[in-house]
Amino acid sequence: MSKSIKTVFSHLKGNRFSQKVKRGIFTSSKLNQDSTDLPEELTTPLSQALKSAPAPIYAPTGSETFQTITTKLSDGLTVTSQPKFGTFCTVGILVNAGSRHEVDYPSGTSHFLERLGFSASSLYKTRDDIMQAVESLGGICDCQSSRDTTIYAASIDRNKLEKLIELFADVVFQPTLPDTEIQLAHNSILYELEMLNKKPDPDPMMTELIHEAAFRGNTVGLPRFPPEETLADINVDVLKTFLRSYYQPQRMVVAGVGVDHDELSKMCEKYISASAKSPSWSLDGPVLQDNSVAQYTGGEVRVEKSFDLSLSVVPMPELAHVSVGLEGVNFTHADFVPYAVLNMLMGGGGSFSAGGPGKGMFSRLYLNVLNRHHWMYAATAYHHSYEDGGFFCIQGSSHPSQLRDCVHVITQEFVRLTQGTNEVELKRAKKQLQSMLMMNLEARPIIFEDVGRQILATGVRKSPLELCDMIERVSNEDIIRIAGNLLSGKAALAGLGDLRNMPSLDDVQSALASTDGKLPRKFRLFRS
Amino acid sequence: MYFYVRQSCVWQLGNRCGQFFFQARHISSSSYNDAIRNVLSDENKERTIQNVTKYNENINVAKKLSQTAAVLVALCYTNNVPCMLLTVRPSHMKKHAGEVSFPGGGMDYGDTSVIDTALRETEEEIGFPKSKVDVWATIKPLPDRFLQKATKAVYPVIGNLGHVDPSDLKVNPNEVEKVMCIPIEFLLDPYNFGTTRFRVKNNKPSPFSYTMPIYFTKPHIWGLTGTFVNLSLMFLIPEWHKPLTKGRFHVKK
């Protein structure tokens, strides 16, 4: 029996193989002598260097290679870059101009400029020419504007950087703004507004309304999507004045990910600074620059609207939407990270969400609100944070007849925050936030936006590791403290849809100030 | 040209008042520290009263006021530094929860003048006796909600409380959460000052867009209270306080 095993497994002993090695798979003229005279590669232990091999050059360790480098040019333009391995790079210009700067202009001016981004300029006759040029550089480009920033960015092959910078300098500072393009942009915005009104998705509209309620009539509360009435007022003169007032090198940052910093600096100096000295909108003319500080006012905004429910084959639910907001902090504040953790803790989303790992199914708004009340269609927490102010809000959706209960549930959740969290919940929220941060920062365009926005707003970039540390240090006491801060200020209330049953701002204010968060009782004989 | 001329806006108080008071430079001392030390002196009191009277000449109050209110712009000495005394409203208040304001309130039937109202409310809110307040001047009112209901008026009354230790005050917790004594030097520093422009109609710029000051104290001083602080500083130390202008801004980093 044993013999048969031996024969069966004899090939595994390696007799034949090891003999082959000994005889010399590495056969060379030197080795034809003893079987013990093995090549150096086999006799040298791994802890020693091979004598015949060239001396190794070790890659430098430490965080210096991954630090964001920032320098300022003579005209005030900030150039920043983040080293990253790869054949492609993402480069862009971020301008400190957005809908918050539109106090002196008809609303929607910066949105208009977003539509006109990468269109006719002095070197490129039409938008198609620009797209073709960028394609030849190996990539894509896009312009995006938000409440406080406008970004012109492109992702291209990193060897073709110079051509791209030249293109940027031309497109941003030498636009020709022909009437055809302006008309096109006008029409496209009208179409976008029509779609916004038709679609039952409340998020863009609700974001506008809650901003308006929280920051009444100033900076961030100004509408980002232009209302139809003011669109007609936007003409070339208005656009040129806006560009003259806000598109100045000292308000801009050129950010690059995956590029060499010195190269980028030199090219910016050569093309962008030169172009900025004599832009197509001419430097003499009226300058209307607004540098207001965002002021949280609180307040109430109601928009009665009936949604068109016949758009889909399946019957759509009739919904009313409400958002309750409280004053938060700006993103440079020491408490910004605890607020971000709080946002993750509250979480939320739609009740018909598919779920899955990392989706936040164990966040408070799911466990306490959506899982318990079948009539709540959605509940989401947001923390909108800007350079000089911010607010935290919870947005809920339900059938119009249950709007009061919807607000009731939201105010109760707010007040429950003052009782703190348990360890598991807090740990989960922190881990989710850290993982979301790290996962998103694996994508190059997101790194670009992160670097650019941080440098534009604060002049310094907090690395992801620093942020993860700060997230780790958030404790239960922090959550209780910021919940107290939240509840000590004025509330902001926004409603969209059939709002007959929406409680007043006073009711919401008293609910948030009470110990249990319940709305004042209303005696009603006939429940509608 | 599309853009409205903002100089015609009635509520550009800063620009209008600035014309009256820069003539006063030669009267008091020119050095900054002296000016701060002398803010609550008798000499400055006389000058402030003159400035207020000059300003009041140009303000017309509506004949019928639906509600009159008064606040006490309380000046005091705390830790041997001239300060302004402000209160933080508690969070359970229905109106203006958590905001910073001066002690004050609505006029009651028993009050003979707005000064009475201001002093009575001060006593009720922070427990500072009426008799100890040295009233300097009453500034003609500004409406409570800018340009919306011009018949509600709030009269700021400038008064000197003398030496005050905030911990000694008997604060009424229903109306006041805490008392803040902000040094006048802090309020004069342009680093702690910003402006916010508000639109009346949210879609278009209008000649009624107004500018309001904001002071970066722990809860920010803004709104009507901020306007009172700005006005009062203009009357108290015109040579060291620039009047309200549009668009001055910095970011507190």
Side-chain angles (χ1 to χ4, degrees):
Chain A
M1 200 59 184
S2 53
K3 194 182 173 192
S4 58
I5 290 174
K6 266 193 195 167
T7 49
V8 165
F9 293 113
S10 62
H11 68 285
L12 291 176
K13 273 199 217 164
N15 282 327
R16 272 185 251 160
F17 184 69
S18 52
Q19 276 163 25
K20 257 200 189 157
V21 169
K22 278 188 194 166
R23 252 180 270 135
I25 295 179
F26 303 107
T27 307
S28 75
S29 51
K30 291 185 236 166
L31 303 176
N32 275 333
Q33 296 116 34
D34 267 87
S35 56
T36 52
D37 199 10
L38 291 169
E40 191 199 340
E41 291 91 344
L42 294 175
T43 52
T44 322
L46 289 171
S47 52
Q48 284 176 26
L50 279 179
K51 292 190 208 84
S52 54
I57 306 169
Y58 293 102
T61 54
S63 54
E64 294 84 33
T65 28
F66 300 104
Q67 283 280 10
T68 315
I69 311 168
T70 313
T71 51
K72 219 174 187 165
L73 299 180
S74 52
D75 58 358
L77 182 71
T78 310
V79 179
T80 175
S81 68
Q82 173 74 37
K84 188 169 171 32
F85 176 77
T87 39
F88 286 88
C89 65
T90 306
V91 181
I93 302 185
L94 293 96
V95 188
N96 192 1
S99 71
R100 71 172 281 173
H101 300 107
E102 285 176 2
V103 172
D104 296 316
Y105 301 86
S107 276
T109 308
S110 67
H111 195 68
F112 220 91
L113 282 172
E114 181 194 36
R115 286 299 149 102
L116 289 173
F118 291 108
S119 63
S121 62
S122 67
L123 293 177
Y124 301 92
K125 286 287 164 290
T126 64
R127 179 181 286 251
D128 289 327
D129 290 338
I130 297 182
M131 293 302 156
Q132 274 190 358
V134 176
E135 255 185 63
S136 71
L137 299 173
I140 48 170
C141 68
D142 188 28
C143 173
Q144 240 193 23
S145 107
S146 67
R147 294 203 130 81
D148 50 3
T149 324
T150 306
I151 307 181
Y152 296 80
S155 281
I156 53 149
D157 187 335
R158 83 195 272 169
N159 298 321
K160 304 193 178 153
L161 185 61
E162 182 150 9
K163 203 77 180 61
L164 180 72
I165 301 290
E166 193 186 351
L167 186 142
F168 271 143
D170 193 54
V171 156
V172 174
F173 288 99
Q174 313 292 338
T176 45
L177 303 171
D179 287 325
T180 45
E181 299 264 356
I182 293 187
Q183 194 56 43
L184 261 172
H186 186 110
N187 290 342
S188 107
I189 295 182
L190 276 176
Y191 179 68
E192 185 193 26
L193 287 177
E194 208 184 304
M195 289 313 293
L196 263 177
N197 273 325
K198 268 203 183 147
K199 273 198 206 155
D201 176 25
D203 283 334
M205 195 60 181
M206 279 305 286
T207 317
E208 290 287 292
L209 293 180
I210 190 67
H211 274 87
E212 194 187 320
F215 291 86
R216 199 69 198 258
N218 73 86
T219 58
V220 209
L222 296 174
R224 186 179 153 209
F225 295 109
E228 268 186 67
E229 314 89 69
T230 58
L231 256 189
D233 292 334
I234 302 178
N235 54 38
V236 181
D237 292 319
V238 171
L239 293 173
K240 285 200 170 158
T241 313
F242 191 87
L243 290 166
R244 192 180 306 122
S245 316
Y246 293 112
Y247 278 48
Q248 299 162 352
Q250 58 265 34
R251 295 178 75 103
M252 294 185 174
V253 167
V254 174
V257 177
V259 292
D260 176 53
H261 188 84
D262 294 320
E263 211 181 306
L264 184 66
S265 271
K266 258 188 287 178
M267 289 182 208
C268 288
E269 185 97 55
K270 182 173 172 193
Y271 294 108
I272 297 185
S273 299
S275 197
K277 286 203 178 74
S278 53
S280 74
W281 53 76
S282 115
L283 288 173
D284 11 86
V287 170
L288 285 174
Q289 198 182 74
D290 174 50
N291 289 316
S292 298
V293 179
Q295 180 56 56
Y296 179 88
T297 57
E300 191 175 355
V301 167
R302 291 169 174 242
V303 172
E304 296 274 354
K305 182 178 166 166
S306 54
F307 292 98
D308 182 4
L309 300 173
S310 58
L311 285 181
S312 149
V313 181
V314 182
M316 291 201 299
E318 187 189 343
L319 292 177
H321 311 279
V322 71
S323 192
V324 178
L326 291 167
E327 187 173 8
V329 294
N330 55 336
F331 52 61
T332 46
H333 198 271
D335 275 344
F336 173 66
V337 170
Y339 270 93
V341 174
L342 183 69
N343 194 1
M344 257 335 207
L345 192 79
M346 298 296 270
S351 62
F352 293 110
S353 179
K359 263 226 136 185
M361 288 285 130
F362 288 94
S363 57
R364 278 209 182 173
L365 287 179
Y366 267 108
L367 292 179
N368 295 351
V369 173
L370 292 171
N371 289 359
R372 293 215 189 140
H373 308 286
H374 69 279
W375 43 266
M376 286 283 284
Y377 279 81
T380 327
Y382 298 100
H383 181 223
H384 298 278
S385 190
Y386 301 94
E387 194 169 24
D388 43 11
F391 68 99
F392 188 92
C393 64
I394 297 183
Q395 181 179 320
S397 308
S398 72
H399 191 267
S401 62
Q402 285 166 311
L403 208 51
R404 193 179 174 82
D405 301 319
C406 179
V407 175
H408 190 152
V409 163
I410 292 176
T411 51
Q412 279 186 304
E413 275 310 306
F414 263 123
V415 173
R416 196 169 291 151
L417 281 174
T418 50
Q419 295 161 14
T421 67
N422 65 54
E423 199 187 314
V424 171
E425 210 180 2
L426 186 61
K427 251 189 166 169
R428 181 190 298 127
K430 290 199 289 196
K431 260 292 167 284
Q432 273 186 315
L433 187 60
Q434 286 169 332
S435 84
M436 189 183 80
L437 181 73
M438 295 310 244
M439 191 171 75
N440 277 318
L441 284 176
E442 288 177 14
R444 201 187 49 239
I446 301 188
I447 303 180
F448 156 77
E449 198 175 325
D450 181 45
V451 168
R453 274 185 192 262
Q454 285 203 45
I455 301 286
L456 187 65
T458 63
V460 172
R461 189 209 175 196
K462 289 206 174 79
S463 72
L465 284 176
E466 265 182 78
L467 289 170
C468 282
D469 270 336
M470 289 169 78
I471 293 170
E472 197 61 45
R473 277 183 262 138
V474 172
S475 65
N476 193 24
E477 285 76 40
D478 287 328
I479 301 287
I480 297 179
R481 179 172 49 86
I482 62 177
N485 289 343
L486 266 181
L487 292 170
S488 64
K490 265 170 85 166
L493 188 64
L496 179 68
D498 180 351
L499 301 177
R500 272 172 292 180
N501 291 319
M502 186 165 121
S504 66
L505 184 61
D506 283 340
D507 282 348
V508 172
Q509 192 76 55
S510 7
L512 290 169
S514 68
T515 45
D516 56 3
K518 300 210 165 147
L519 285 171
R521 281 180 177 279
K522 273 199 145 84
F523 177 66
R524 284 191 298 184
L525 210 49
F526 305 104
R527 204 146 216 259
S528 52
Chain B
M1 199 62 202
Y2 172 89
F3 303 99
Y4 298 107
V5 177
R6 263 159 311 284
Q7 293 302 321
S8 65
C9 174
V10 170
W11 298 107
Q12 288 299 331
L13 296 165
N15 286 332
R16 292 182 61 218
C17 295
Q19 299 157 17
F20 299 122
F21 305 124
F22 285 126
Q23 310 145 9
R25 259 177 225 254
H26 66 280
I27 297 177
S28 60
S29 64
S30 52
S31 114
Y32 181 65
N33 291 326
D34 281 344
I36 299 282
R37 250 183 287 126
N38 293 331
V39 152
L40 301 182
S41 66
D42 290 326
E43 184 198 356
N44 203 34
K45 176 179 171 182
E46 288 306 316
R47 194 177 63 142
T48 310
I49 297 177
Q50 278 176 23
N51 290 342
V52 173
T53 327
K54 239 190 195 165
Y55 167 82
N56 281 345
E57 282 165 15
N58 293 295
I59 304 283
N60 293 318
V61 185
K63 296 234 167 60
K64 256 205 162 175
L65 294 168
S66 64
Q67 194 194 16
T68 316
V71 291
L72 182 70
V73 176
L75 307 166
C76 61
Y77 262 116
T78 307
N79 300 331
N80 291 323
V81 170
C83 299
M84 274 202 182
L85 187 137
L86 292 119
T87 60
V88 178
R89 289 168 72 96
S91 44
H92 59 71
M93 300 289 266
K94 277 223 166 130
K95 277 191 171 179
H96 309 295
E99 292 179 17
V100 181
S101 75
F102 285 111
M107 202 165 183
D108 265 355
Y109 283 114
D111 295 329
T112 48
S113 70
V114 284
I115 299 180
D116 263 355
T117 314
L119 295 178
R120 179 183 51 78
E121 289 285 340
T122 310
E123 186 155 9
E124 284 174 15
E125 289 182 10
I126 59 174
F128 194 86
K130 288 188 229 182
S131 46
K132 280 198 190 170
V133 180
D134 174 21
V135 175
W136 287 13
T138 308
I139 310 174
K140 278 220 178 133
L142 305 164
D144 185 21
R145 271 288 177 92
F146 259 57
L147 298 167
Q148 284 175 25
K149 295 199 166 86
T151 49
K152 270 192 198 175
V154 185
Y155 285 81
V157 176
I158 303 183
N160 184 3
L161 304 186
H163 285 265
V164 171
D165 186 0
S167 46
D168 282 343
L169 294 169
K170 281 215 193 80
V171 157
N172 178 359
N174 285 334
E175 307 205 23
V176 169
E177 187 164 321
K178 70 171 179 182
V179 169
M180 301 199 300
C181 289
I182 320 253
I184 291 195
E185 223 175 323
F186 184 91
L187 296 169
L188 287 178
D189 189 355
Y191 186 70
N192 301 323
F193 174 76
T195 53
T196 307
R197 300 205 43 222
F198 288 82
R199 261 207 206 152
V200 171
K201 273 215 175 98
N202 218 26
N203 298 341
K204 303 188 199 227
S206 81
F208 299 107
S209 298
Y210 50 92
T211 312
M212 299 256 263
I214 171 172
Y215 294 91
F216 300 117
T217 47
K218 251 326 151 114
H220 291 178
I221 304 178
W222 62 282
L224 201 61
T225 315
T227 319
F228 289 157
V229 171
N230 186 48
L231 261 186
S232 313
L233 287 177
M234 262 199 308
F235 297 138
L236 287 169
I237 320 189
E239 50 287 329
W240 294 107
H241 182 256
K242 286 194 207 148
L244 190 63
T245 54
K246 297 193 299 290
R248 264 202 346 218
F249 172 76
H250 66 273
V251 173
K252 233 189 155 148
K253 298 221 168 134

